[in-house]
């Protein structure tokens, strides 16, 4: 689920609908910024080839939001998907959910994970505290 709908929803938001904001979200060398529109076009074509790109952006976002709700339900009140301790599933799920929590400012995914599905933000904070005590030092400050 995280790889089928969710990933494509992130791509739709970040690289198709908000491509001009991408350089503010991640460090992109100036030379490569010129190629962002072309990359956006290629990603859209991959989405079409995959099948999900035949849906409207609204439908893609709805699927992505439904994925977040499913993940939130599966997590419930547990600290991690493995219970009190993280398991392998946590390693995979954290990468995607963390994008919704911190990597897509202004998106419906961010609003959901900071509001209705706040257990996802708490989960990400727990993973961050456990494995990335140097998180702030790793963040690009430029």
């Amino acid at each position: 689920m995280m790889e089928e709908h969710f990933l494509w929803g992130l791509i739709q938001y970040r690289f198709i609908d908000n491509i001009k904001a991408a350089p503010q979200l991640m460090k992109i060398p100036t030379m490569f910024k010129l190629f962002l529109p072309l990359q956006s076009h290629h990603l859209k074509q991959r989405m079409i080839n995959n099948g999900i790109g035949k849906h409207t952006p609204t439908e893609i976002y709805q699927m992505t939001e439904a994925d977040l709700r499913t993940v939130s339900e599966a997590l419930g009140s547990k600290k991690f998907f493995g219970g009190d301790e993280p398991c392998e599933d946590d390693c995979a799920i954290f990468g995607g959910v963390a994008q919704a929590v911190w990597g897509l400012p202004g998106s419906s995914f961010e609003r959901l994970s900071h509001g209705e599905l706040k257990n996802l933000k708490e989960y990400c904070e727990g993973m961050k505290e456990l494995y990335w005590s140097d998180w702030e030092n790793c963040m690009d400050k430029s």
Side-chain angles (χ1 to χ4, degrees), residues 74-90 123 126-127 130:
L75 178 62
S77 61
K78 297 183 301 248
K79 188 172 180 179
F80 302 106
F81 286 91
D84 289 334
E85 297 293 324
C87 64
E88 286 182 29
D89 291 338
D90 288 293
Y123 162 74
M127 288 289 285
L130 188 60

Side-chain angles (χ1 to χ4, degrees), residues 52-64:
I52 196 154
K54 295 177 182 176
H55 296 279
T56 67
T58 300
E59 291 170 332
I60 294 170
Y61 291 152
Q62 288 170 344
M63 287 184 252
T64 306

Side-chain angles (χ1 to χ4, degrees), residues 30-129:
T30 305
M31 181 176 76
F32 292 114
K33 289 178 188 175
L34 299 171
F35 297 104
L36 285 175
L38 182 62
Q39 184 65 23
S40 179
H41 173 75
H42 286 293
L43 285 169
K44 184 64 179 170
Q45 192 58 52
R46 284 184 62 194
M47 290 176 71
I48 291 168
N49 293 344
N50 176 278
I52 196 154
K54 295 177 182 176
H55 296 279
T56 67
T58 300
E59 291 170 332
I60 294 170
Y61 291 152
Q62 288 170 344
M63 287 184 252
T64 306
E65 291 167 8
D67 291 343
L68 278 176
R69 284 186 171 85
T70 300
V71 170
S72 175
E73 259 183 59
L75 178 62
S77 61
K78 297 183 301 248
K79 188 172 180 179
F80 302 106
F81 286 91
D84 289 334
E85 297 293 324
C87 64
E88 286 182 29
D89 291 338
D90 288 293
C91 298
I93 294 169
F94 172 75
V97 174
Q99 291 297 308
V101 173
W102 296 303
L104 301 165
S107 70
S108 60
F109 319 127
E110 179 191 57
R111 284 189 296 279
L112 277 172
S113 64
H114 288 241
E116 178 186 337
L117 309 177
K118 66 182 179 200
N119 67 332
L120 296 179
K121 184 176 181 199
E122 293 164 357
Y123 162 74
C124 285
E125 291 287 350
M127 288 289 285
K128 182 176 93 167
E129 288 173 20

